[in-house]
Amino acid sequence: MRKRSTYRPKPVIKPLGIKNLVTLEMPGRIGQIALGQEWLDMQHLRDIGSHSLLAERVAKAVGDDEKLAQAREIAAICVRAEDRFDRTGRAGTTGPEMMRLRELLDQTLAWMNKQPNIVIYRESEALVKKYDRLAARHAQAEQATGI
């Protein structure tokens, strides 16, 4: 008898506006819900930051300057929150930052749902490849220094 091959799903682009909301929208939404809660941690802010990176790339690809500025503002708030975490050891945002972040996340998440799947797919793949290259360089540098 012939041995059955293992099942390996291939990445696909979902047709006609159907998006994988678990990977696209949920981290940003959960981060948005966590804002102002006592259980907010840095992973929530990093999820919001990763959403801003993808929104920034998609905005550049479609030529939307307003959403590009919003994505950069989200990223700047996340960087300030991470700096604050490094100083104080507590994750969180200030009141005005939290309100602005919630507003911007509502707008960018709704906007991302209206963008073509192929643009989101290409830009997310480009981000993953960029991360993989940086991780490989970091690993090589660690090997070279013996850390």
Side-chain angles (χ1 to χ4, degrees):
M1 264 178 108
R2 191 172 89 129
K3 184 179 176 184
R4 295 179 79 184
S5 65
T6 58
Y7 173 71
R8 284 176 260 147
K10 294 187 169 90
V12 296
I13 299 172
K14 298 185 182 295
L16 300 175
I18 299 171
K19 295 182 174 43
N20 187 349
L21 295 181
V22 172
T23 57
L24 176 66
E25 186 174 347
M26 286 306 291
R29 287 280 181 212
I30 292 171
Q32 182 183 28
I33 291 167
L35 289 172
Q37 303 295 325
E38 60 188 39
W39 45 270
L40 174 76
D41 64 3
M42 281 311 297
Q43 187 57 49
H44 294 115
L45 292 170
R46 289 185 186 113
D47 287 343
I48 293 170
S50 66
H51 164 74
S52 74
L53 286 173
L54 182 58
E56 183 177 343
R57 289 189 68 104
V58 172
K60 282 182 189 176
V62 298
D64 192 334
D65 293 335
E66 178 188 351
K67 294 303 174 192
L68 180 62
Q70 289 177 349
R72 287 181 176 163
E73 187 176 352
I74 292 171
I77 292 171
C78 289
V79 167
R80 285 195 302 271
E82 192 160 346
D83 290 343
R84 194 174 307 114
F85 176 77
D86 290 340
R87 286 193 316 270
T88 64
R90 293 192 60 201
T93 57
T94 63
E97 284 179 340
M98 180 178 59
M99 291 172 56
R100 183 65 179 150
L101 205 49
R102 281 187 176 152
E103 177 186 334
L104 290 170
L105 282 169
D106 272 341
Q107 293 172 9
T108 56
L109 285 165
W111 174 79
M112 287 283 281
N113 280 332
K114 296 176 185 172
Q115 298 313 304
N117 287 330
I118 189 66
V119 174
I120 293 172
Y121 176 78
R122 284 181 185 150
E123 297 306 322
S124 63
E125 284 296 309
L127 275 173
V128 169
K129 286 178 185 175
K130 182 178 180 179
Y131 172 79
D132 289 343
R133 283 193 305 268
L134 289 173
R137 273 193 225 144
H138 183 70
Q140 287 175 349
E142 282 183 349
Q143 284 180 343
T145 59
I147 295 176

